[in-house]
Amino acid sequence: MKSARIVAPNEPLQVSESDTPLPQGNQVLVRVKAVGVCHSDLHLWEGGYDLGDGQFMKVTDRGVKYPVTPGHEIVGSVKQVGNDAGDVSVGDDVLVYPWIGCDNCPACNAKNENLCDAPRSLGVFQDGGYSDYILVPHYRYLAKVSGIELESAASLACSGLTAYSAVKKANANSPEFLVIIGAGGLGLMGVQIAKAITNSKIICVDLDDKKLATAKEMGADFIVNSAADTDTVQKIISICNGNGADSVIDFVNAPQTAKTGVSVLRKRGNLVLVGLFGGSMELSLVTIPLKAITIQGAYTGNYADMVELLELAKNGTINPMISKHYTLNDANSALDDLKSRKIIGRAVINP
Ligand code: NAD
């Protein structure tokens, strides 16, 4: 099989050939039709995360071993199955759930493998979908896809799924005003999902007018360009009738966006941090109890959420956006284009 692999941080991905694996037992071999290019692939390529104050969290310290094949938003058709693959058959079109856990910790026992203590996620800790084939360790990580275009389901495994669980958290206090920061792959899914499952007025914030225009088309009620507006915080608060926002989802989560998030929260407000751009910030501690605000993180979502999301896509409630296609040989350009903010919504690689 042919794969585009990260051999070392910040080095060009290398396309290499290896033996196509033979599925055993519960395993399933999937012929990859499309794989989403996620900003998290960029962090993996860069070797880790900015912790702020000059500190860097290396992915190798979290258990990643290079070379690794990235790609966790995978759709394809079943090519071959082991001798116990349940109701999965050769030829089925499938979406792969990549957030595989250890099957043995409290999170896995509660069916929240995405929050596992010792994760084995595909495209991070195990080889992923920048490849023409992927060996899925168990048929239970597949969801059959029908009734929607197969390729458009790819982003439901991460950008859609992460946005879905973040919107559910943000919706806990029934927000009248919900701010979504970042109108990239995750943020645009967040806008669509928030429009579909909340009664909120949605305010979307980004640095890029084109992305903001797309957010408006997808259901944002208000858009704010934080690069152009001299006082983003005041602008958002005034949109929220002067009271501030009930909930904020930060799909960027860099110092300036997280500061904006905290500053625009009204009393009892709820801030959900999702992005991994990173850095650090100072918090004025007394404001947290005095305003009784909640600050929480969201990390992808569980298998059941992915299946729910697939239903929302099937009935047309959400419509994942794919704006650009690359071949496996162009994997480096795909990542470069994402880094330089040239992608609206999602790009996919078609191996
Ligand atoms: P993306 O590159 O598609 O989009 C990022 C967007 O943020 C772009 O529209 C960009 O213009 C905007 N942006 C950047 N800096 C900004 C700023 N200072 N103010 C306002 N807008 C700004 O990225 P993506 O694939 O949507 O991923 C976003 C982040 O979420 C990444 O860090 C990614 O690794 C992370 N992520 C987290 C999870 C999770 O489970 N928590 C899952 C997937 C991705």
Side-chain angles (χ1 to χ4, degrees):
M1 66 184 193
K2 186 174 165 184
S3 313
R5 313 195 78 201
I6 303 174
V7 287
N10 300 307
E11 296 288 325
L13 274 71
Q14 285 179 11
V15 175
S16 58
E17 296 273 353
S18 59
D19 291 340
T20 307
L22 195 64
Q24 312 281 335
N26 304 127
Q27 296 173 336
V28 177
L29 183 70
V30 173
R31 170 73 176 92
V32 179
K33 292 281 174 65
V35 56
V37 181
C38 179
H39 206 108
S40 295
D41 301 336
L42 271 181
H43 298 307
L44 186 67
W45 191 26
E46 289 165 353
Y49 306 96
D50 176 8
L51 294 178
D53 297 327
Q55 306 289 313
F56 189 75
M57 179 197 281
K58 287 186 183 170
V59 290
T60 45
D61 291 340
R62 298 182 72 224
V64 170
K65 290 189 179 68
Y66 298 110
V68 66
T69 307
H72 50 266
E73 294 185 346
I74 308 158
V75 284
S77 61
V78 173
K79 176 75 179 173
Q80 221 175 345
V81 294
N83 59 12
D84 179 9
D87 66 345
V88 171
S89 310
V90 172
D92 285 347
D93 283 338
V94 290
L95 170 65
V96 179
Y97 179 79
W99 311 111
I100 295 175
C102 67
D103 211 14
N104 194 31
C105 73
C108 288
N109 292 339
K111 299 201 184 313
N112 292 321
E113 289 193 48
N114 54 308
L115 304 178
C116 173
D117 289 332
R120 299 181 297 141
S121 317
L122 299 175
V124 184
F125 301 105
Q126 305 187 60
D127 285 336
Y130 283 31
S131 185
D132 49 8
Y133 289 98
I134 182 162
L135 185 69
V136 179
H138 196 289
Y139 64 86
R140 72 170 190 255
Y141 297 117
L142 300 176
K144 292 190 192 180
V145 179
S146 61
I148 53 166
E149 209 196 321
L150 181 61
E151 193 173 83
S152 73
S155 63
L156 302 180
C158 178
S159 57
L161 180 60
T162 305
Y164 190 42
S165 55
V167 170
K168 279 184 174 178
K169 287 182 177 189
N171 202 29
N173 57 350
S174 308
E176 181 185 356
F177 289 99
L178 167 60
V179 177
I180 289 183
I181 304 179
L186 268 66
L188 288 178
M189 286 301 306
V191 168
Q192 287 194 52
I193 293 169
K195 197 73 190 169
I197 69 167
T198 76
N199 295 316
S200 310
K201 293 189 188 75
I202 301 161
I203 303 159
C204 189
V205 183
D206 202 287
L207 307 165
D208 186 315
D209 281 333
K210 272 199 210 139
K211 294 181 179 186
L212 288 169
T214 311
K216 192 114 203 217
E217 281 164 26
M218 291 186 161
D221 298 284
F222 303 92
I223 49 175
V224 177
N225 186 325
S226 54
D229 271 297
T230 46
D231 195 343
T232 303
V233 169
Q234 210 39 57
K235 172 130 192 208
I236 294 171
I237 291 176
S238 63
I239 293 171
C240 305
N241 300 330
N243 297 321
D246 309 274
S247 288
V248 177
I249 306 174
D250 187 351
F251 287 112
V252 179
N253 197 18
Q256 62 275 43
T257 60
K259 267 184 220 160
T260 299
V262 171
S263 306
V264 301
L265 275 188
R266 64 166 297 159
K267 228 173 167 178
R268 303 175 299 283
N270 180 10
L271 172 62
V272 184
L273 300 177
V274 179
L276 298 167
F277 276 60
S280 60
M281 67 182 269
E282 279 193 9
L283 270 179
S284 156
L285 294 174
V286 288
T287 56
I288 299 172
L290 288 180
K291 286 174 81 178
I293 61 175
T294 304
I295 300 178
Q296 58 185 315
Y299 187 76
T300 69
N302 62 26
Y303 178 85
D305 276 344
M306 189 182 84
V307 172
E308 276 176 37
L309 201 55
L310 208 42
E311 284 305 311
L312 288 180
K314 261 194 222 175
N315 67 30
T317 312
I318 57 164
N319 188 10
M321 179 182 195
I322 295 176
S323 62
K324 211 157 177 193
H325 295 81
Y326 295 85
T327 63
L328 212 48
N329 289 336
D330 287 333
N332 286 293
S333 312
L335 288 169
D336 282 334
D337 287 350
L338 181 64
K339 190 170 184 171
S340 46
R341 300 209 209 111
K342 288 185 186 154
I343 307 296
I344 308 264
R346 263 290 180 259
V348 294
I349 292 173
N350 300 111

